[in-house]
Amino acid sequence: MTYTRETDHGTPAAVATGKSVSLTIDGQAVTLPEGTSIMRAASLLGGSIPKLCATDNVESFGSCRLCLVEVEGRNGYPASCTTPVAEGMVVRTQTERLKKLRRGVMELYISDHPLDCLTCGANGDCELQDQAGAVGLREVRYGYDGATNMGQAKDQSNPYFDFDPSKCIVCSRCVRACDEVQGTFALTIEGMGFDSKVAASQGEDFLGSECVSCGACVQACPTASLIEKKVVEVGTPDRAIVTTCAYCGVGCTFRAEMRGEELVRMVPWKDGKANRGHSCVKGRFAWGYAQHQDRILNPMIRASVDQPWREVSWDEAIAHTASEFRRIQAKYGTRSIGGITSSRCTNEETFLVQKLIRQGFGNNNVDTCARVCHSPTGYGLSKTFGTSAGTQDFDSVMQADVILVIGANPTDGHPVFASRMKRRLRQGAKLIVMDPRRTDLVKSPHVEADHHLPLRPGTNVAMLTAMAHVIVTEKLYDEAFIRERCDWDEFADWAEFVSQPARSPEAIERLTGVKADEVRAAARLYATGGNGAIYYGLGVTEHSQGSSTVMAIANLAMATGNVGREGVGVNPLRGQNNVQGACDMGSFPHEFSGYRHVSDNATRALFEREWGVSLDAEPGLRIPNMLDAATDGTFKGLFVQGEDILQSDPNTHHVAAGLAAMECVVVQDLFLNETANYAHIFLPGSTFLEKDGTFTNAERRIQRVRKVMAPLNGHADWEIVQLVANAMGLNWTYDHPSQIMDEIAALTPTFAGVHYDRLEAEGSLQWPANDAAPDGTPTMHADGFVRGKGKFVVTDYVPTDEKTGPRFPLLLTTGRILSHYNVGAQTRRTANTAWHPEDRLEIHPSDADNRGLKDGDWVTLRSRAGETTLRAQVTERVAPGVVYTTFHHPETQANVITTDYSDWATNCPEYKVTAVQVMPSNGPSDWQQDYASQAQRSRRIAPLEAAE
């Protein structure tokens, strides 16, 4: 599309009351919802009332006095942004008196504003400039010799945007956006009158303040006071394309604003149904990795991992890939190779990879990164509810009365959704946080949990069972819901189990470390506080009892009737942008797309007719099984698309051993990642900016990804997979991802109504979208559970085999941080490193004192699996006996520490519970230094002359 600004109606839409009023604006009759502002009414009619302090992302403020109107029968000139429409109202927006008043107001603004429009970075994209023209200002009578606020020093501390106070008109839009949209309250107005100015919290610069760089203030600013550095460098955009972010599972929609072929900025799209015009630092600013010098743009091959890479043509690389896979299968058998799909790639690309493996490789040896994050979600919710996904859309949280957050840190991992949740909390919703750490939701300047249950890592099931004990023994359950919607006999068995004294809060206090009174109060609040919504993350799934915990959560929701309507439900917060989609597309070794088992004859026949081959009815290998089989000598070849299993999967030494034992490892990615150290073929991948397709976010929302620029490597990822498939004789003929989606829709009942023309027309769809749900499904299980009757499952607490003791007395748990994403391959190649240049080990002051440690000291972190070194961060965010670190930097090698214990049902690794010891250290270990040297050697690329 060509570049036009999004329409700004000045004030938000009125809260729906069901009532309407009729009025006349500039001679035009109109009927609008009660509560609509005059400004918005005029805009909806196609008019435009001048404004500066008003924007429809925040509530009306009425400070700039530019939007004055005349209302027949009323004295004075009310501000149109703060005046609601009324029945029979007659409004005039353009009269001679109004023109004079507006020009006078604008003169005052311009008299205290630099007149450098021609050289200003916002020239042509400045609301102050536009409004000066709109009111007909041609001269300033006051002159420019008096006192002004010009000449103030710029704040250029933030790596992505500048703040120039001399261009600030103190409209407060940035402050209000920070308060109302983001909920951080990092900005304020200091001083009064002429001395008023915008300031960051606590007198800091932007980088040192509480600002989280979400960009809401920059987007709200009507001048160049807050402006992206890239706009200043490149110039204002000349076209825009709407696409979907490729970071977390929120699935924010952005306008990618371009100048020629260069991306200037990513602006959150107000019509995006997942983000509603908001963003975080990653999606808004951290896209520079797409043009980073580390990107590999040419295919490469090598005979062994101790040799340098040799750049080759695409034809040679693809032919060599197909030849190697055929050679291995001829020597070792059909099931000796497999592949891993990517949760960063599109639905269409993921579908093609699993199709390549099933149709081309002739086996079901396909898995995805969900194995190590949310596979227990699929298992647990499928068993209890009948479908492997969350129940609500994100908007639903605004109807919640009680929010229970378990094992998730939304402010860091899913910040745009967290902002919406915090807004609901400020409106009065109650909050329960179940987490070993004191996250920002537990207590921050403007949000505080009603109950924090800082349970010991690994005791989720015991804690949830204790809450269920309270609900059952105090008869707080919803009997009518259970009898109508669930199996009553199964409920009775479950209720008898949880009501036993051994499962009371008092009995489990010694296991969880949480006081019984606090558990009882939290259980009562969830059961009786109105609409109860549960949101959970990897702190639930990445345990040996991950699947049991998911089912225990589902039990709580069913017992209290908190399923099937807005404001309630069970909601997994997916980690990566398309982890839901990767699962939907059949990336597990036992399932086709739509979660149908490979052993089902009718389902398999459907795919066999479409693909023209016989398909294996035997489930394939999971990622851990592939690595085990490799070390045993029976698994010899692996195709890895867009995943870095050496850094992200547990027990790094075992992963490395498995990869080293293979004869052909093919990595398709943007960079030479840690897994590529063991690769023989490297196929350069494409970024989300360089492809068409769809992503499916955590709320089952299918959204378009649109190509913004040509792929720097020459091919989108789906095209590369097709090249490999055709080299193996499959004769695929896709010309566009829309054709792949048509095949997905034809083969997958929940996607039957999903087509690109609908996505273009409607923006997005939430599956199931089919004849039974033609408009998609924002809320699941509204009229009954997908499986029929909701199933209560007895979830007995089984302690993890990972035990603390004299050698390893502390428990390590891991997580993410706001500024980085997953293994950091993308964000480490952006300015986000300004906030998090290294992984650190959080340790409680008492544990640090016992070891003679100070903040910033190097420490050795050791477990039964291995050891690493990193710096300590002494903090009370963790409890005594618990330590915590992130895994964003490969130098840390955090997963050297984690063990291969895993969930009993899905093999999801137990990242969140590792027994460790922490000791003083002098710096990086010998092992880390040796690994770094080996990795450096593995990434050598032979000069082109040598290659020829």
Side-chain angles (χ1 to χ4, degrees), residues 747-762:
L747 292 171
T748 313
T750 50
F751 276 66
V754 180
H755 303 281
Y756 273 36
D757 54 352
R758 285 200 67 188
L759 294 175
E760 293 292 347
E762 300 175 36

Side-chain angles (χ1 to χ4, degrees), residues 669-728:
D669 215 313
L670 303 175
F671 309 103
L672 280 172
N673 58 26
E674 302 305 297
T675 303
N677 295 340
Y678 292 87
H680 306 86
I681 301 171
F682 188 88
L683 305 177
S686 55
T687 70
F688 78 108
L689 297 168
E690 301 164 333
K691 64 179 71 170
D692 283 294
T694 58
F695 292 150
T696 306
N697 74 351
E699 51 174 0
R700 297 170 283 101
R701 189 179 300 282
I702 306 157
Q703 301 182 103
R704 285 280 282 115
V705 179
R706 296 177 179 86
K707 185 162 69 172
V708 172
M709 59 184 70
L712 296 181
N713 64 339
H715 296 287
D717 287 318
W718 69 269
E719 294 174 308
I720 297 169
V721 178
Q722 178 163 271
L723 289 172
V724 173
N726 288 341
M728 298 191 73

Side-chain angles (χ1 to χ4, degrees), residues 456-458 800 802-813 841-853 859-864 870 872-873 878-885 897 899 911-920:
R456 187 170 292 118
T800 173
E802 182 71 352
K803 311 291 187 194
T804 57
R807 287 184 60 207
F808 305 107
L810 305 175
L811 284 176
L812 168 71
T813 188
L841 183 74
E842 292 186 4
I843 185 169
H844 190 271
S846 63
D847 292 322
D849 287 344
N850 290 339
R851 291 160 175 78
L853 299 174
V859 298
T860 295
L861 178 65
R862 180 177 297 158
S863 74
R864 294 177 179 88
L870 66 170
Q873 182 175 343
V878 291
V882 176
V883 292
Y884 169 89
T885 190
I897 304 301
T899 68
Y911 291 113
K912 305 304 183 189
V913 187
T914 306
V916 297
Q917 179 59 284
V918 176
M919 298 167 291

Side-chain angles (χ1 to χ4, degrees), residues 75 269 288 635:
N75 295 326
W269 195 38
F635 189 84

